[in-house]
Amino acid sequence: MLRKQLPDKHIRAIVVNDGSDSNIAGESMERLEETARDLLLLSYPINKGKGFAIRTGVQHSLASVIVYTDIDFPYTTESMIQVILPVIQREADVTLAIRNETYYSQLPPGRRWMSKILRAVNRSVLRLHTSDTQGGLKAFSRDVRETFLQTQINRYLFDLEFVYLISKKRELRIRMIEADLREGIRMSPVRLQIILRESLNFLKVLIKR
Protein backbone atom coordinates (compact mmCIF):
# COMPACT_ATOMS: atom_id res chain seq x y z
CA MET A 1 0.00 0.00 0.00
CA LEU A 2 1.87 3.11 1.24
CA ARG A 3 5.24 1.42 0.96
CA LYS A 4 4.68 0.81 -2.74
CA GLN A 5 3.75 4.46 -3.27
CA LEU A 6 6.63 5.78 -1.14
CA PRO A 7 9.44 3.28 -1.83
CA ASP A 8 12.21 5.61 -0.68
CA LYS A 9 10.60 6.30 2.72
CA HIS A 10 11.00 4.26 5.88
CA ILE A 11 7.49 3.68 7.20
CA ARG A 12 6.93 2.51 10.76
CA ALA A 13 3.44 1.61 11.95
CA ILE A 14 2.39 2.03 15.56
CA VAL A 15 -0.82 0.23 16.53
CA VAL A 16 -2.45 0.97 19.87
CA ASN A 17 -4.85 -1.54 21.39
CA ASP A 18 -7.14 0.65 23.48
CA GLY A 19 -8.10 -1.88 26.12
CA SER A 20 -9.76 -4.35 23.74
CA ASP A 21 -9.67 -8.05 24.62
CA SER A 22 -10.39 -9.00 20.99
CA ASN A 23 -7.71 -9.77 18.44
CA ILE A 24 -7.07 -7.16 15.76
CA ALA A 25 -8.91 -8.19 12.62
CA GLY A 26 -6.78 -10.22 10.23
CA GLU A 27 -7.50 -7.97 7.25
CA SER A 28 -6.39 -4.89 9.20
CA MET A 29 -3.15 -6.58 10.25
CA GLU A 30 -2.47 -7.62 6.67
CA ARG A 31 -2.88 -4.00 5.56
CA LEU A 32 -0.48 -2.91 8.30
CA GLU A 33 2.11 -5.48 7.31
CA GLU A 34 1.89 -4.26 3.72
CA THR A 35 2.26 -0.67 4.90
CA ALA A 36 5.31 -0.84 7.10
CA ARG A 37 8.66 -2.53 7.46
CA ASP A 38 8.46 -1.97 11.21
CA LEU A 39 5.42 -2.53 13.42
CA LEU A 40 5.13 -1.51 17.07
CA LEU A 41 2.07 -2.84 18.90
CA LEU A 42 1.15 -1.04 22.13
CA SER A 43 -1.56 -2.21 24.49
CA TYR A 44 -3.07 -1.45 27.88
CA PRO A 45 -5.87 -3.27 29.75
CA ILE A 46 -8.49 -0.52 30.25
CA ASN A 47 -10.24 1.36 27.43
CA LYS A 48 -9.34 5.03 27.66
CA GLY A 49 -10.62 6.40 24.35
CA LYS A 50 -9.40 7.20 20.87
CA GLY A 51 -7.71 10.45 21.86
CA PHE A 52 -5.68 8.74 24.58
CA ALA A 53 -4.74 5.92 22.20
CA ILE A 54 -3.55 8.28 19.45
CA ARG A 55 -1.51 10.33 21.94
CA THR A 56 0.07 7.11 23.20
CA GLY A 57 1.13 6.26 19.65
CA VAL A 58 2.46 9.76 18.96
CA GLN A 59 4.46 9.69 22.21
CA HIS A 60 6.30 6.65 20.85
CA SER A 61 7.13 8.30 17.52
CA LEU A 62 10.06 10.56 16.71
CA ALA A 63 9.48 10.39 12.94
CA SER A 64 9.93 13.49 10.82
CA VAL A 65 6.34 13.02 9.57
CA ILE A 66 3.60 11.57 11.78
CA VAL A 67 0.32 10.28 10.35
CA TYR A 68 -2.65 8.90 12.23
CA THR A 69 -5.83 7.19 11.10
CA ASP A 70 -8.19 4.39 12.14
CA ILE A 71 -7.35 0.69 12.25
CA ASP A 72 -9.65 -0.06 9.29
CA PHE A 73 -7.80 2.42 7.03
CA PRO A 74 -11.09 4.00 5.89
CA TYR A 75 -9.56 6.19 3.18
CA THR A 76 -8.18 5.19 -0.20
CA THR A 77 -4.43 4.86 -0.63
CA GLU A 78 -4.50 7.77 -3.08
CA SER A 79 -6.15 10.01 -0.47
CA MET A 80 -3.62 9.00 2.18
CA ILE A 81 -0.74 9.83 -0.16
CA GLN A 82 -2.30 13.22 -0.93
CA VAL A 83 -2.49 13.96 2.79
CA ILE A 84 1.05 12.81 3.54
CA LEU A 85 3.04 14.25 0.63
CA PRO A 86 2.69 17.99 1.42
CA VAL A 87 4.29 17.38 4.85
CA ILE A 88 7.02 15.15 3.42
CA GLN A 89 7.79 17.78 0.78
CA ARG A 90 7.73 20.53 3.43
CA GLU A 91 4.93 22.36 1.68
CA ALA A 92 2.78 22.17 4.83
CA ASP A 93 3.29 21.63 8.56
CA VAL A 94 -0.10 19.98 9.05
CA THR A 95 -2.55 18.39 6.62
CA LEU A 96 -6.14 17.53 7.51
CA ALA A 97 -8.35 15.12 5.60
CA ILE A 98 -11.68 16.71 4.72
CA ARG A 99 -14.66 14.40 4.29
CA ASN A 100 -16.57 14.71 1.04
CA GLU A 101 -20.17 13.81 0.20
CA THR A 102 -19.16 10.21 -0.50
CA TYR A 103 -18.16 9.93 3.14
CA TYR A 104 -21.37 11.51 4.41
CA SER A 105 -23.49 9.23 2.25
CA GLN A 106 -22.10 6.28 4.26
CA LEU A 107 -23.06 7.74 7.64
CA PRO A 108 -26.22 6.77 9.54
CA PRO A 109 -28.64 9.77 9.59
CA GLY A 110 -28.06 10.62 13.26
CA ARG A 111 -24.30 10.62 12.90
CA ARG A 112 -24.49 12.63 9.69
CA TRP A 113 -26.59 15.38 11.26
CA MET A 114 -24.43 15.50 14.38
CA SER A 115 -21.36 15.96 12.15
CA LYS A 116 -23.07 18.74 10.18
CA ILE A 117 -24.06 20.54 13.38
CA LEU A 118 -20.51 20.31 14.76
CA ARG A 119 -19.14 21.73 11.51
CA ALA A 120 -21.56 24.66 11.69
CA VAL A 121 -20.53 25.40 15.29
CA ASN A 122 -16.82 25.10 14.44
CA ARG A 123 -17.28 27.57 11.63
CA SER A 124 -19.42 30.14 13.43
CA VAL A 125 -18.15 29.93 17.02
CA LEU A 126 -14.58 28.61 17.06
CA ARG A 127 -13.66 30.03 13.62
CA LEU A 128 -11.15 27.28 12.91
CA HIS A 129 -9.06 26.77 9.77
CA THR A 130 -11.58 24.12 8.78
CA SER A 131 -15.03 23.28 10.05
CA ASP A 132 -14.35 19.58 9.47
CA THR A 133 -12.17 18.51 12.38
CA GLN A 134 -13.23 14.86 12.64
CA GLY A 135 -11.87 13.46 9.36
CA GLY A 136 -9.83 10.80 11.14
CA LEU A 137 -6.74 11.20 8.93
CA LYS A 138 -4.12 13.81 9.68
CA ALA A 139 -0.40 14.28 9.07
CA PHE A 140 2.03 16.67 10.72
CA SER A 141 5.73 17.36 11.00
CA ARG A 142 7.86 16.54 14.02
CA ASP A 143 7.80 20.23 15.00
CA VAL A 144 4.02 19.96 15.54
CA ARG A 145 4.31 16.83 17.69
CA GLU A 146 4.47 18.70 21.02
CA THR A 147 1.37 20.71 20.12
CA PHE A 148 -0.50 17.48 19.43
CA LEU A 149 0.64 16.06 22.77
CA GLN A 150 -0.89 19.09 24.51
CA THR A 151 -4.37 17.75 23.75
CA GLN A 152 -6.18 16.48 26.83
CA ILE A 153 -9.47 15.06 25.54
CA ASN A 154 -9.38 11.26 25.62
CA ARG A 155 -12.34 10.56 23.36
CA TYR A 156 -13.41 11.52 19.84
CA LEU A 157 -13.18 15.31 20.09
CA PHE A 158 -9.41 15.23 20.61
CA ASP A 159 -9.34 15.95 16.86
CA LEU A 160 -11.26 19.18 17.40
CA GLU A 161 -8.95 20.12 20.27
CA PHE A 162 -5.88 19.53 18.08
CA VAL A 163 -7.25 21.64 15.22
CA TYR A 164 -8.12 24.37 17.73
CA LEU A 165 -4.56 24.37 19.11
CA ILE A 166 -2.88 24.55 15.71
CA SER A 167 -5.33 27.21 14.53
CA LYS A 168 -3.93 29.49 17.24
CA LYS A 169 -0.41 29.17 15.79
CA ARG A 170 -0.32 31.54 12.85
CA GLU A 171 3.14 30.42 11.82
CA LEU A 172 1.92 26.92 10.95
CA ARG A 173 1.10 26.09 7.35
CA ILE A 174 -2.13 24.12 7.47
CA ARG A 175 -3.59 22.47 4.39
CA MET A 176 -6.95 20.75 3.93
CA ILE A 177 -7.15 17.77 1.56
CA GLU A 178 -10.44 16.27 0.37
CA ALA A 179 -10.29 12.50 0.93
CA ASP A 180 -12.24 9.54 -0.49
CA LEU A 181 -13.46 6.52 1.44
CA ARG A 182 -12.47 3.01 0.43
CA GLU A 183 -15.22 0.82 -0.95
CA GLY A 184 -17.00 -1.33 1.60
CA ILE A 185 -16.50 0.99 4.58
CA ARG A 186 -19.58 1.16 6.82
CA MET A 187 -20.06 3.60 9.67
CA SER A 188 -21.79 2.65 12.92
CA PRO A 189 -24.45 4.87 14.57
CA VAL A 190 -23.49 7.03 17.53
CA ARG A 191 -24.99 6.18 20.93
CA LEU A 192 -26.68 8.87 23.05
CA GLN A 193 -24.10 8.31 25.80
CA ILE A 194 -21.32 9.28 23.39
CA ILE A 195 -23.20 12.40 22.24
CA LEU A 196 -23.61 13.59 25.84
CA ARG A 197 -19.98 12.88 26.71
CA GLU A 198 -18.64 14.63 23.62
CA SER A 199 -20.89 17.62 24.29
CA LEU A 200 -19.01 18.06 27.58
CA ASN A 201 -15.70 17.71 25.74
CA PHE A 202 -16.78 20.41 23.30
CA LEU A 203 -17.43 22.72 26.23
CA LYS A 204 -13.87 22.06 27.43
CA VAL A 205 -12.54 23.33 24.10
CA LEU A 206 -14.93 26.28 24.17
CA ILE A 207 -13.72 27.29 27.64
CA LYS A 208 -10.14 27.48 26.33
CA ARG A 209 -11.03 30.32 23.95
Side-chain angles (χ1 to χ4, degrees):
M1 196 174 72
L2 294 179
R3 194 195 321 182
K4 293 177 181 178
Q5 299 293 325
L6 302 169
D8 60 331
K9 303 300 179 184
H10 177 215
I11 299 175
R12 185 191 193 208
I14 301 176
V15 181
V16 181
N17 176 11
D18 183 30
S20 173
D21 57 4
S22 301
N23 291 325
I24 297 174
E27 180 184 352
S28 297
M29 283 303 296
E30 288 176 7
R31 294 180 69 84
L32 285 169
E33 289 170 356
E34 292 173 1
T35 300
R37 296 182 178 89
D38 295 324
L39 176 62
L40 172 63
L41 180 59
L42 305 172
S43 184
Y44 39 83
I46 300 175
N47 176 272
K48 296 180 179 294
K50 183 178 178 180
F52 187 93
I54 298 295
R55 275 197 302 276
T56 298
V58 172
Q59 285 171 345
H60 284 79
S61 175
L62 294 176
S64 59
V65 177
I66 298 172
V67 184
Y68 70 82
T69 190
D70 300 323
I71 189 64
D72 58 353
F73 291 89
Y75 294 103
T76 64
T77 301
E78 292 75 15
S79 292
M80 293 189 70
I81 293 296
Q82 290 173 6
V83 168
I84 296 169
L85 275 183
V87 184
I88 290 178
Q89 297 169 347
R90 300 184 181 181
E91 298 170 355
D93 300 301
V94 185
T95 50
L96 313 172
I98 303 301
R99 297 169 290 180
N100 57 24
E101 288 306 315
T102 302
Y103 185 102
Y104 282 104
S105 68
Q106 303 296 322
L107 292 179
R111 186 168 173 178
R112 180 165 59 248
W113 282 109
M114 188 176 75
S115 179
K116 296 283 188 178
I117 291 171
L118 179 60
R119 292 189 66 165
V121 174
N122 287 344
R123 183 167 49 248
S124 60
V125 179
L126 294 180
R127 301 183 183 278
L128 303 177
H129 272 77
T130 173
S131 64
D132 188 7
T133 59
Q134 305 306 117
L137 170 61
K138 294 175 176 62
F140 51 89
S141 67
R142 182 187 296 156
D143 293 338
V144 182
R145 176 177 177 271
E146 290 306 315
T147 300
F148 180 85
L149 293 176
Q150 290 172 16
T151 61
Q152 298 177 355
I153 292 174
N154 286 340
R155 301 290 173 175
Y156 295 107
L157 285 190
F158 80 96
D159 272 316
L160 168 61
E161 186 180 19
F162 176 51
V163 175
Y164 172 74
L165 290 175
I166 61 175
S167 293
K168 293 170 61 177
K169 296 180 177 292
R170 295 184 178 181
E171 71 276 13
L172 292 181
R173 297 166 299 165
I174 303 171
R175 182 179 295 186
M176 281 65 75
I177 309 289
E178 186 173 300
D180 295 314
L181 277 181
R182 290 193 299 111
E183 291 186 9
I185 295 296
R186 293 292 180 269
M187 305 294 179
S188 60
V190 178
R191 300 190 305 273
L192 178 60
Q193 178 185 6
I194 294 177
I195 295 175
L196 294 175
R197 184 184 63 218
E198 294 309 296
S199 296
L200 292 176
N201 283 332
F202 179 81
L203 290 177
K204 291 179 182 178
V205 176
L206 199 59
I207 290 172
K208 290 182 178 181
R209 295 181 64 216

